Amino acid sequence: MECAKDYQAVINAEGKLAFVISAGTAAPGSAPRIVYNGGNSALLYRSSGDVLVLDGLPPQVRETLAQVKQAVIIETDRQTGYTLYDYAASIKK
């Protein structure tokens, strides 16, 4: 398990949630998910063996996580700024 560094959480006007994270070394699995228990962190399971901790979630993001069923994950190469992977992750509470 690794802590995501420098991630960003974005909520659009329609209440949809997206996380922008640094790209993993391998492609995400076929069923990525976020596990959230109402606290100030969540676990992003990119695949069964690749888990990232999204720590220090702001209050508005916590409220949104508690209400929505999925979030968009955008994985970028921080050096180039290019998006390497983007996908929907279901949210399990």
Side-chain angles (χ1 to χ4, degrees), residues 7-88:
Y7 75 89
Q8 294 178 322
V10 180
I11 303 168
N12 73 6
E14 298 167 352
K16 293 181 181 178
L17 177 62
F19 289 97
V20 181
I21 63 173
S22 294
T25 55
S30 61
R33 68 189 184 285
I34 294 172
V35 176
Y36 181 63
N37 68 359
N40 71 343
S41 63
L43 300 176
L44 168 61
Y45 286 80
R46 294 182 72 249
S47 65
S48 61
D50 191 357
V51 183
L52 288 175
V53 178
L54 303 171
D55 199 18
L57 297 168
Q60 187 175 10
V61 172
R62 292 189 299 234
E63 290 173 18
T64 302
L65 266 173
Q67 296 173 10
V68 298
K69 295 183 180 182
Q70 71 176 14
V72 173
I73 309 298
I74 302 166
E75 297 191 27
T76 62
D77 180 323
R78 295 292 185 178
Q79 293 179 353
T80 64
Y82 290 119
T83 298
L84 299 181
Y85 310 109
D86 62 281
Y87 50 92

